[in-house]
Amino acid sequence: MILNDTIVALATPSGIGAIGLIRVSGTATFEIIEKMLHKSIKGKKSHSIVLRELYDTEGVIDEVLISVFRGTRSYTGEDTIEISIHGSDYIATRLIKSLLHHGARMAEPGEFTQRAFLNGKLDLAQAEAVADVIASEHQFAHEQAMKQLRGGYSKDIQSLRGKLLNFTSLIELELDFGEEDVEFASRDELRNLVLEIKNRVDRLSDSFTLGNALKKGFTVVLAGRPNAGKSTMFNALLNEDRAIVSDIEGTTRDSIEELIQVSGIRMRVVDTAGIRDATDVIEKEGINRTFKHVEASGITLYLFDPSHTTPREVSSDLGILKNKTDRVWTIANKMDLFTGNLNDFGVVDAQVSAKDANNVVALFDKIVQELTSEISNLSNEIVVTNARHAESFRLCSNELQSILDGIENSLTGDLLSFHLRSGIKALASITGEIDNEEVLGNIFSKFCIGK
Ligand SMILES: Nc1nc2c(ncn2[C@@H]2O[C@H](COP(=O)(O)OP(=O)(O)OP(=O)(O)O)[C@@H](O)[C@H]2O)c(=O)[nH]1
Ligand SMILES: [Mg+2]
């Protein structure tokens, strides 16, 4: 990666728009733009905006606004200008062509952010958060990306690394004393420290399953016997007649899913074929699909009609479902018709009447509450949503476990130090204190051009 050339890219989508934005960054930024101006912008302070006409050999290209960012005060950490043009592909192409002619080159995807990282404006986890902020389509994803952009667990990681490094140097000092039987690093203290750090790292690592599910949309599967009212609840949630509802058992044969938002959390709700011993091949296939969805669900809501289902049937259904997924809630539906006692049915998590949408929203709020409290229990509301980070936390945790086992078995100092260093390296890779070109290239290539 060459840092001393000047890069250019269109930062807005191509096509017609009120405004288009072209970014230029690098040491020759101001030298290049001066060649296209009749009236210089020399002496314009950082963070000022000037109105100018830009020219190529053919004549005027456009009347533009130029935002000036000097030196380290820019996003990339180097001289940058942002040119706001009239949003036309013709103008953008002609302007970029002229910038290239005067010595700039086209930026690679993510290269502006990569420069920000290489110039120390952002750490790697923050740089990745920039891509997540741009990609975020709902409140949860946006919140997590913003937290990470503002530093997220970067500060935590730094402090954990610092503590581990301290111990590593003490242990390595022991090694210098060779034969002499000295112990600068108290093994008890090391054990406590490693336990504390492992606890934190494990919680972050565990939060990925939930964090990733929430980022992509938390899957809620509606399951139960035919006629339990699954499609009715599905329609109530969407507020439209999306799925066919009828009193004929086996109405829904294929699964249908839709996205909804509940208190800032995106949910993928799946209506499924009712579970029974079907003889029809199509219905059988539908029920197979139901089970596949249950297996992949974040939560499965088991709906039953207490007027037409026995406690024994409910408990048998629950046995099957809980075998396939961890989180199953039991929902008594058609409570408008039921006059008996629910006690015999074991734990019932909610009572609803899907037909009049009674208690349905409250039920989904309850799911959100549970997820929110789980997040805060896991790691102070910061969850890991990035697979690369999750893998590094897992690697670090393994090394920490090896240290704990090692202390137990009086492992020699050099081996303890090896595991300490590997653990530190795993943590460091999250914030980018690594010098692996390939990893870096891979991360930034996923960005869009102009960011
Ligand atoms: N009274 C009352 N009827 C309901 C309620 N929920 C659903 N029903 C009725 O129960 C019948 C079955 O509803 P569906 O939503 O089609 O049931 P399902 O679970 O999707 O059934 P399958 O697709 O066959 O598996 C329909 O006649 C609904 O109108 C409710 O809360 N109260
Ligand atoms: Mg149905």
Side-chain angles (χ1 to χ4, degrees), residues 180-194:
E180 296 165 56
D181 202 8
V182 289
E183 205 174 271
F184 293 118
S186 146
R187 299 302 187 256
D188 276 345
E189 272 176 46
L190 178 60
R191 183 191 299 113
N192 289 341
L193 176 79
V194 170

Side-chain angles (χ1 to χ4, degrees), residues 195-246:
L195 271 174
E196 179 198 319
I197 295 179
K198 186 167 181 299
N199 190 356
R200 176 92 183 106
V201 166
D202 282 346
R203 278 154 63 119
L204 282 164
S205 166
D206 289 347
S207 75
F208 177 67
T209 314
L210 183 60
N212 191 42
L214 288 174
K215 184 174 166 185
K216 292 186 173 150
F218 190 73
T219 310
V220 183
V221 171
L222 308 178
R225 296 187 172 229
N227 264 354
K230 302 175 294 297
S231 301
T232 308
M233 180 183 274
F234 187 68
N235 288 345
L237 279 168
L238 299 174
N239 227 341
E240 60 171 305
D241 279 338
R242 174 73 176 79
I244 301 172
V245 165
S246 87

Side-chain angles (χ1 to χ4, degrees), residues 312-326:
R312 185 193 282 268
E313 286 168 332
V314 169
S315 122
S316 141
D317 292 348
L318 283 173
I320 296 169
L321 294 174
K322 286 183 176 167
N323 228 338
K324 299 190 184 293
T325 186
D326 291 339

Side-chain angles (χ1 to χ4, degrees), residues 231 244 251-252 271-272:
S231 301
I244 301 172
T251 302
T252 307
D271 179 25
T272 63

